Amino acid sequence: MKTKKGTSQELTRGGIIQEAREQFVRNDYRQVSMRNIAKKLGCSHGAIYYHFKNKAELFYAIVEKDFTELNQEIDDIVNCDDMDDNEKLYNLFLRFISFGLNHQNQFEIMFMIRHAEVDSLSQQSASLSYHKFANAIQQMVSQPIAVKIIWSAFISLLGFVSHYRGYVNSFKEAEGAAKTHVLFTMKALIDS
Amino acid sequence: MKTKKGTSQELTRGGIIQEAREQFVRNDYRQVSMRNIAKKLGCSHGAIYYHFKNKAELFYAIVEKDFTELNQEIDDIVNCDDMDDNEKLYNLFLRFISFGLNHQNQFEIMFMIRHAEVDSLSQQSASLSYHKFANAIQQMVSQPIAVKIIWSAFISLLGFVSHYRGYVNSFKEAEGAAKTHVLFTMKALIDS
DNA sequence: TCCTCCTTTTGACCATTGGTCAAATACTGT
DNA sequence: ACAGTATTTGACCAATGGTCAAAAGGAGGA
């Protein structure tokens, strides 16, 4: 049986992830330590290694969950009936940035920083999210657009997140600049 | 007297920087260790701390030098007489990306990653380079452009470097994509 | 040559990290 | 109660950045 202690104090994957996420929200991958997570959980750091092979795997568990959320958001916009294509595109871009700035450290690991430890795990998820994003764009634009151009648009949004992460604590703080940048990016995309 | 050993084996700021740069080119800030630099220099790691207050200061010394180079390149393009404004803009953007991908780890510290240790030092240089860049753009475009738009163009280029760093070892390997992205960014900038 | 003063350098030391693992502990089913 | 398995512990390892008293190396003067 995998289930154990029906009592109070159990150390579960879920519990570890929860605490790890809390630390991960505020600090970057390398600043968060297994020992500190353990301390907050009231267990030894060794115990965490029973539930997760290593730090990378623990963080990937978080990243994966959050990216499911991003994929869902993309789908929601694509399937929404209340907007025309232009509005959809605008919202898609803005949501992408919003997600990036509200999940800064997860985003960093997925799309920005190459991290030998985490890469092998995150690459697939990142690629999946990108393809959802690219497909969404294709559907929202009247004439077919070169893949290269979509890629440039993606890169452009990535740049926004890449720069503002660290300067800003949440999307709200950069909302104005984000809207400008989204319009900027749309202009290049649509007039192509 | 500051001067010492007229003999062979002296440990100088310059020598340390040179070795540090070599390591910094291949590895990221946190992967480079003072101890390894010392080992390659044939001295103890403590000795480096005599010449540099800490790791951040050592790396800033490198970063600063490289950014002087970037500023120079920007000036060269602005003052060049063989190109019209559009060509200049194209080259400015491409050179910016080129610099970013050929100085990945320096660039990362200057424009991308927020690093409490290094930030206080690098902020000024980064800001200076950005302003040179922004002014150059203003000069190359016929009608005056909103500051916000220039900022978006900068962010867009930053995104390119931000993503390709780590996937690619030098500008050459991403040249094709870079050209596409530069044209993409110019389109948004000029049609504004 | 020897002694002093100042500049460098050393290497032991500290705290902290990710990770491992044998041994101890807590549970579960019988 | 016992056996067997699922967890936890904490000592241990190899790194890291950083500090600092002590040692070494030089230059100049007597």
Side-chain angles (χ1 to χ4, degrees):
Chain A
M1 282 283 146
K2 283 269 171 180
T3 55
K4 43 148 211 172
K5 306 190 210 175
T7 69
S8 56
Q9 293 290 54
E10 42 179 342
L11 186 60
T12 59
R13 266 183 83 95
I16 296 170
I17 289 179
Q18 198 180 335
E19 175 57 37
R21 173 179 276 115
E22 260 169 55
Q23 304 215 10
F24 203 37
V25 163
R26 262 179 290 281
N27 303 97
D28 126 328
Y29 181 78
R30 314 175 101 122
Q31 287 173 319
V32 172
S33 76
M34 299 297 256
R35 277 170 165 84
N36 203 359
I37 294 170
K39 195 195 287 177
K40 285 272 174 73
L41 287 167
C43 70
S44 71
H45 72 282
I48 298 181
Y49 283 92
Y50 177 77
H51 297 276
F52 294 90
K53 200 172 115 256
N54 53 33
K55 192 180 173 183
E57 204 190 87
L58 167 55
F59 284 117
Y60 178 63
I62 295 168
V63 159
E64 194 185 27
K65 213 177 156 202
D66 291 338
F67 270 77
T68 302
E69 202 187 296
L70 173 63
N71 293 339
Q72 186 58 54
E73 285 193 27
I74 294 176
D75 282 338
D76 287 350
I77 292 175
V78 170
N79 298 326
C80 177
D81 293 328
D82 301 341
M83 293 184 273
D84 63 34
D85 283 344
N86 243 9
E87 283 177 289
K88 280 187 180 184
L89 201 56
Y90 180 81
N91 275 294
L92 176 69
F93 283 7
L94 212 55
R95 285 298 207 94
F96 185 80
I97 287 176
S98 165
F99 180 85
L101 290 179
N102 288 331
H103 300 75
Q104 296 186 7
N105 296 299
Q106 290 92 317
F107 202 84
E108 175 188 358
I109 279 184
M110 291 295 276
F111 289 125
M112 284 154 47
I113 304 303
R114 304 275 56 82
H115 240 302
E117 316 163 48
V118 192
D119 253 28
S120 55
L121 296 168
S122 63
Q123 236 164 21
Q124 255 187 320
S125 291
S127 169
L128 180 77
S129 282
Y130 171 68
H131 282 108
K132 276 195 101 65
F133 179 85
N135 284 334
I137 291 181
Q138 283 288 15
Q139 285 183 256
M140 291 170 192
V141 179
S142 44
Q143 76 280 38
I145 288 188
V147 180
K148 294 197 296 184
I149 300 298
I150 292 182
W151 180 243
S152 276
F154 176 73
I155 289 283
S156 171
L157 299 181
L158 214 57
F160 190 89
V161 178
S162 166
H163 181 83
Y164 279 90
R165 68 150 243 121
Y167 284 118
V168 125
N169 287 313
S170 71
F171 172 67
K172 267 274 164 287
E173 294 176 48
E175 192 168 1
K179 286 178 176 168
T180 300
H181 193 67
V182 164
L183 290 174
F184 175 90
T185 304
M186 283 177 71
K187 176 145 285 165
L189 189 71
I190 289 175
D191 294 358
S192 291
Chain B
M1 283 282 150
K2 281 270 172 179
T3 55
K4 40 146 208 173
K5 305 190 213 177
T7 72
S8 56
Q9 294 289 54
E10 41 180 342
L11 186 60
T12 59
R13 266 182 82 96
I16 296 169
I17 289 180
Q18 197 180 337
E19 175 57 38
R21 172 178 278 116
E22 260 169 54
Q23 305 217 8
F24 202 36
V25 162
R26 264 179 289 281
N27 303 97
D28 123 334
Y29 181 78
R30 313 175 101 123
Q31 287 173 320
V32 173
S33 75
M34 298 298 257
R35 275 171 166 82
N36 204 356
I37 294 170
K39 194 195 288 176
K40 284 274 174 72
L41 286 167
C43 69
S44 71
H45 71 282
I48 298 181
Y49 284 92
Y50 177 77
H51 297 277
F52 294 91
K53 203 172 114 253
N54 52 33
K55 193 180 173 181
E57 205 190 87
L58 168 56
F59 284 118
Y60 178 62
I62 294 167
V63 160
E64 195 186 26
K65 213 178 157 200
D66 290 338
F67 270 77
T68 302
E69 201 187 298
L70 173 62
N71 294 338
Q72 186 58 54
E73 285 193 25
I74 294 176
D75 282 338
D76 287 349
I77 291 175
V78 170
N79 298 325
C80 177
D81 294 326
D82 301 342
M83 295 184 272
D84 64 34
D85 283 344
N86 242 11
E87 284 178 287
K88 280 186 179 183
L89 201 56
Y90 180 80
N91 275 294
L92 176 70
F93 284 8
L94 212 55
R95 284 300 206 92
F96 185 80
I97 288 177
S98 166
F99 180 85
L101 290 179
N102 288 331
H103 301 74
Q104 296 186 8
N105 297 297
Q106 290 93 316
F107 202 84
E108 174 188 359
I109 279 185
M110 291 294 276
F111 290 125
M112 284 153 47
I113 304 304
R114 303 275 57 79
H115 239 301
E117 317 163 49
V118 191
D119 253 28
S120 56
L121 296 168
S122 63
Q123 237 163 20
Q124 255 186 319
S125 292
S127 170
L128 180 77
S129 282
Y130 171 67
H131 283 107
K132 276 195 101 63
F133 180 84
N135 284 335
I137 292 180
Q138 283 288 13
Q139 286 181 257
M140 293 172 191
V141 180
S142 44
Q143 77 280 38
I145 288 188
V147 180
K148 294 199 295 187
I149 300 298
I150 292 181
W151 180 243
S152 275
F154 176 74
I155 290 284
S156 172
L157 299 181
L158 216 56
F160 190 89
V161 177
S162 166
H163 181 80
Y164 279 89
R165 66 150 243 122
Y167 283 119
V168 126
N169 287 314
S170 72
F171 172 67
K172 267 275 163 284
E173 294 176 48
E175 193 168 0
K179 286 177 175 169
T180 301
H181 193 67
V182 164
L183 290 174
F184 175 90
T185 304
M186 281 175 74
K187 176 146 280 161
L189 188 73
I190 288 174
D191 295 357
S192 290

